Amino acid sequence: MISRLVVELKTLSKEKIDYNIGSALQGVLMKIIDTEYADKLHEQSLNPYSQYFFKNKDKLYWIINTFTKEARENIIKPFLENRVDDFFIKYKSERFTYKIVDIRDISYDDLQSNISNNKFESYIYVEFITPTSFKSSGEYKFIPDEKWIISSIYNKLKTFSKIELDEDIILSLIKNIRIVDYNLKSRRFNLEGVRIPSFMGNIKISTRKCSYKEREYASLIFSLAPYYGIGIKTSIGMGAVRIRY
C-alpha cells in the first residue's frame, strides 16, 4: 500500500524557504516516529518512504509518501496522532505551524489494474520539482539517464511491493525508451555542509520504439515515480517529480 500525506506549512519568512529544507524536515519526522523504528530505517539500504518540500504560489507544502503498510503505521500514523501544533528547525532558524491538508491510500493492486486498463501513450513527461541526482561508481551523476531513472524506481517496486515484473522486459524497456527533449538546469542540494550536484527541470521520454508490454511496464513504473521519487536521497527531499502523458 502507498500512502500520501499532504501538510501545509506556515511561517513568517516564507520567501527564504526553498527545497534545501528537506533534510531538516526529515529530522522533524525522525523525532515524531518511534525510536526503534527510526533505528530500523537507518539499517536499510532503501527507505520505505520519501518526503519533500515545494512551494505553490504563496503556499508551502510538505509531502510525505510511504510505500508499505508498516511504514504508514510507523511514519504517517504517528504524525497524525502528534499533538504538537508547531515545530522549530535550524534551517533558517524558523518556527513552523502546520495543518494536514490531505491523506490518501492507494493499493498496489488497484494501481496495477488501472494501468492495465489504460491506453499507453507514446510520450511521458517528467518534471523534476526538487534537485535530482544519481550515484554511480562512487560519483554523483547529475544528468538524467534512461537506465538510472528506470532502475531507481524499479528497485523500490521490487523491494516494497508484491508486483512481479519480467526482468528481461525491464532490460528491454531500458534499451528502447529514449529521452528526446529536455529543459534542465544544474542545481546544488545542501546536506550538512555538502553541496550535492543535481538538476531540476523537464524531460520528454519517448516509448515509440517499445513493445506493448514494455509500454505497460513504463506506465506502471512512472505512475510510481511521484511517490517513490527518482534518484538518490528521496527521503531527505531530493528527486521529487510530477508525471504527465
Side-chain angles (χ1 to χ4, degrees):
M1 179 174 68
I2 296 172
S3 300
R4 165 167 286 191
L5 179 67
V6 181
V7 179
E8 183 180 349
L9 302 176
K10 293 187 178 182
T11 189
L12 294 176
S13 305
K14 63 180 65 177
E15 291 79 10
K16 299 191 299 181
I17 309 301
D18 62 19
Y19 49 74
N20 285 301
I21 197 176
S23 60
L25 289 174
Q26 188 203 32
V28 173
L29 207 58
M30 292 300 103
K31 290 180 180 178
I32 293 173
I33 67 177
D34 181 74
T35 302
E36 185 176 337
Y37 187 71
D39 291 340
K40 180 180 177 180
L41 292 176
H42 291 314
E43 296 171 357
Q44 298 181 357
S45 57
L46 287 177
N47 283 323
Y49 74 98
S50 68
Q51 61 87 22
Y52 63 93
F53 166 88
F54 79 97
K55 290 183 180 180
N56 183 10
K57 297 180 180 178
D58 63 338
K59 293 188 176 182
L60 314 178
Y61 292 100
W62 182 17
I63 311 299
I64 304 167
N65 302 299
T66 57
F67 316 145
T68 65
K69 183 177 180 180
E70 180 187 44
R72 187 194 193 282
E73 287 295 305
N74 286 279
I75 298 175
I76 289 182
K77 186 177 178 181
F79 193 99
L80 295 174
E81 295 175 345
N82 185 40
R83 295 294 181 260
V84 178
D85 295 322
D86 63 0
F87 55 84
F88 176 84
I89 57 176
K90 292 181 179 179
Y91 180 81
K92 305 290 186 182
S93 297
E94 290 294 320
R95 181 167 293 280
F96 292 85
T97 58
Y98 66 89
K99 68 175 181 179
I100 294 168
V101 175
D102 187 36
I103 180 168
R104 63 187 65 182
D105 299 313
I106 306 144
S107 76
Y108 284 103
D109 288 342
D110 287 346
L111 185 64
Q112 190 172 24
S113 177
N114 291 338
I115 292 297
S116 298
N117 293 328
N118 285 344
K119 176 184 177 182
F120 308 122
E121 302 297 336
S122 298
Y123 296 101
I124 300 170
Y125 299 85
V126 184
E127 180 186 2
F128 298 91
I129 58 177
T130 66
T132 303
S133 188
F134 305 92
K135 205 166 188 179
S136 179
S137 301
E139 295 184 352
Y140 292 114
K141 307 292 184 180
F142 55 107
I143 297 176
D145 175 275
E146 295 90 346
K147 178 181 178 180
W148 296 337
I149 290 172
I150 294 293
S151 296
S152 72
I153 305 169
Y154 178 55
N155 288 338
K156 290 181 180 177
L157 184 153
K158 286 194 301 180
T159 302
F160 300 118
S161 84
K162 295 181 179 179
I163 296 175
E164 295 184 2
L165 300 182
D166 187 320
E167 296 213 4
D168 288 337
I169 297 179
I170 293 293
L171 293 174
S172 181
L173 169 64
I174 290 171
K175 291 180 181 178
N176 289 327
I177 67 166
R178 291 288 182 274
I179 297 173
V180 294
D181 199 4
Y182 63 88
N183 181 10
L184 301 170
K185 293 183 178 180
S186 62
R187 290 288 185 267
R188 293 291 186 271
F189 187 87
N190 296 326
L191 177 62
E192 298 177 356
V194 178
R195 302 181 73 233
I196 299 174
S198 51
F199 63 89
M200 292 176 65
N202 301 275
I203 62 172
K204 178 181 178 182
I205 294 176
S206 171
T207 60
R208 293 175 67 88
K209 293 185 178 180
C210 295
S211 68
Y212 179 88
K213 197 65 179 178
E214 289 164 4
R215 287 190 183 191
E216 181 181 355
Y217 275 31
S219 294
L220 175 61
I221 285 171
F222 281 100
S223 71
L224 289 165
Y227 306 103
Y228 286 169
I230 291 177
I232 62 171
K233 302 189 184 301
T234 55
S235 61
I236 63 168
M238 295 186 70
V241 300
R242 297 190 188 101
I243 305 294
R244 64 183 180 88
Y245 300 94

